[in-house]
Structures are given as C-alpha cells and as structure tokens.
Amino acid sequence: MISAEQRTRINTLVNVLSRVYVNALDYWLGRVRIAREDSRQPLWQNTIPSFLEEHWEYLVHLLKQATPFPDAQNKAADLALLLDPLMQQKARYRQWLPVVRGLVVALDDGTADAPLKVARLWASVGQCYRGLGDAARATQAFSIANQLTGGQGEAGIDLRHQLLQQKAGMRVWQERYDEALHTAHQLLTASISVGDLFTAALGHTLLAFVQIQSYHPQQAFEQAQQAYVLWRHIERLEKDTSALHSLQALHYMGEACRMNQRLRLAHYYLQRVYEHVAEIDDQSWLARLEQSLGSLALEEGRSPEAIQHIEAARELFQRINDSQGVAGATHALGVALYRAGETAQAEPMLLEAVQQWQAMNRRLETANARYALGKLYRGAGRPVKALETYRAALQAMEHASGHHYDQLRRNLREEIDSLNGHTAPT
C-alpha cells in the first residue's frame, strides 16, 4: 500500500520529469523551426539539416521517454511528425515504428484535440509496416488514418487522398490490381468534381504504378507523363512544394520506357532521378533506382555494369531490412550473372531467390525464379534438372489466374514440350 507521503513524492517526480521532457521537446522544436525559416523552403525539399541526422538516436530516445507523460505527448507528436520524413527517407523503419506506434496508442483515445495529427501518425505507422514488408498491418494502419480525416477541411481531404493512394499501392503488391485501379479512378473522379490538381496528380501517379506492376508499359508512360506535368505545375504554383512527387513520376516514366525497349530515354530519365535522389540519400528509393539501372544495363547487354548496380541494390535492401527488395535483387542478380555466363555464381542466387519468394508466399515471383533456374540448367546441359524445375514452377502457380500467370504458363509449357522428347523419364 502506497502511503500519502510516497504518493506525493511520486507525483512530484512525475511533474519534474514531465517539465524536463516538455522543455527538451520545446528546445528541439525551436531548432527545427529556425532551420526551416533559415532555409526559406520546406525542411526536406533537398537536404535534411545535419543536426537532425547527427542527433537522431537521441531524439528517438527522447520521444520514447516523453510519450508516457500526458503533458508532453502533443509536443512529442509534433516533433515526431517533423522527424518522420528523415526516418522514412533513411529507411529506419524498425527503430521508428515503436516511436510512432507508442504515440498513436497514447493519443488515439477518441478524444484527441487534433485528430489530423493522430491520422498523420497512423500514416507513419503504415509507412513503417510497408517498409518492413507487412502489407496487412500497413493497410490496416492506413485505413485507421483515413477514418480520422473526416471533417478536417482541405488538409483532411488531401491526407485522405494520399492515404487512398498508399493503400492502393499495398493492393498492387498483393496483386489485387483491380482494387488499385478502382482507387486510382476514384481519385481522378474526385479531382474533376472539385477541380483539385493535387488529387489528379495522385491519381495519375497511382495509375502509372499499377500499369508498371501489371506490365502495361505504354499506358504506364502516358499516366506517368500526365502526373509529371501536373506535379511540375503544382510546384510552380506553390513555391514551397517539394519536388519529390515529380521525381517519382519521372522514375515511372523511365521504368515504362525500359519495359517498352525505349532504352535511351529510359537511361536519361532514370539517371536524372538518380542524381537527385542520391543528393537527399533516400536509402529505399536509391535501392530501387540501382535495381532499375541494373535492369536497364542488362537490357542493353552491359552485364558487368548490370551486376554492379544490382549488387548495390541488394546491399541497400539488406541494410534497410527490406525483405521483398532483397528477394527481388537476389533474383535479378541471379539472372544478370547467368546472362554474363557466370553459371556457378548464378545458380545459388536463383535458388536463394526461390526460397525468399516462397517464404513470402509470392507465387508469381517464385515461378519466375524457377523459370530462370530451369533455363540455367538447360543451358548448362542438365535437361532432366531443367524439366523438373519447370514443372515445379508450374506447380507454384497452380489455381492462380491473371495475365502474367497465363504468359508464364505458356513459356513454361513451350520449354517442357521442347524438352520432353529429349530427356529420360523423371
């Protein structure tokens, strides 16, 4: 049983600690605001102030310690939202997730004075889960954030549309393309009804992403080009708008050109984006660009350069704990090594990719990795092993439907038919 004297001492200690954390949070919020005013531009448009990068571990610790104190929670949320672009840009999802998750648990009690602030925190939680490859939890967090945007004016509408775009992006990774397309058309319809360029740009960007992932390069380029024009127009109208949106559209234009064999244009677009992203050191984006440049080099027959880019991508994905990115880069590296004639090095890469895709229950990617592995075995004069691998690839796609599955099935059956008359029974 706690005595009255002990309770008084505890309350005094809590009040002292609360004031300490409030003062510390005020100090850092002040430093950030001064940095923003001095730069005369959005804080993370081009570079992040070095003092935040230097002290990020301390700031994460401060936010964790301050969260339990009610008087400090709102200030902690303000600082967390200012730090969020840094954490996402540096792909520090594992370290950052407990911070923002702790804050939403503390603040999302149904009585929040600033529901939009809580919605942004939930959006950050979703981005962390997405970066860690947890599509289900990411989608759930984005849905919760979306529920909190109602009745919050223009800012709430803008955030809701961004959340719709992010949630649809998760649907693409789950191969639920129809849902993602439906959301994109929702955004475009909404933009027409209210004359909102921002929402239109979000819709065209999402459509470009869906079309790239579903292998429709011409449509992807058209949508990405429309998105790029809109984002550039918005940037000219609003001088304090970040250029990251238009760079993303340019990245999609480069990817679409690569897929459509317009390789010179692809190189121009991708290299231009790479130079800007390297300046801001966005680890996750850099990894994706390295892989894009590697795929482009492979298309152009420059295998050594392709291997160099893809190895860099794989290393970055490993560094930021992006398991899906690691699997994709491992798969791509196996293909690049095989095309370079490095069969002995390619085989373990492709086998590892098969295991990684299987662990994530990615049937199409598993089958594609087996298809590449079968071609390797066939080229190495091991037809029985190739036939066995092709059949395993077909089995991996059993009961799955869709354009990509159908095309891969046709390719596999052609390989199997051409081998059947030349191999012993398996």
Side-chain angles (χ1 to χ4, degrees), residues 173 175 215 324 327-328 331-332 335 349-375 377 388-398 400 404-405 408-409 412:
W173 289 123
E175 298 178 25
Y215 299 95
Q324 186 167 277
H331 186 166
V335 172
M349 287 292 108
L350 289 171
L351 286 169
E352 186 178 340
V354 168
Q355 292 176 342
Q356 290 167 338
W357 288 131
Q358 279 183 319
M360 288 181 275
N361 197 30
R362 304 284 296 201
R363 289 182 294 174
L364 181 62
E365 288 84 354
T366 301
N368 261 315
R370 288 193 186 280
Y371 177 53
L373 197 55
K375 290 181 80 68
Y377 290 139
E388 175 188 313
T389 306
Y390 288 144
R391 286 171 174 162
L394 275 177
Q395 189 176 1
M397 298 189 294
E398 196 173 10
H404 317 312
Y405 290 102
L408 184 54
R409 278 193 190 95
L412 284 163

Side-chain angles (χ1 to χ4, degrees), residues 149-170:
T149 59
Q152 299 303 306
E154 188 176 339
I157 292 170
D158 284 348
L159 180 58
R160 184 186 311 137
H161 290 162
Q162 290 178 67
L163 290 164
L164 277 173
Q165 187 198 42
Q166 291 169 333
K167 187 175 177 181
M170 300 311 304

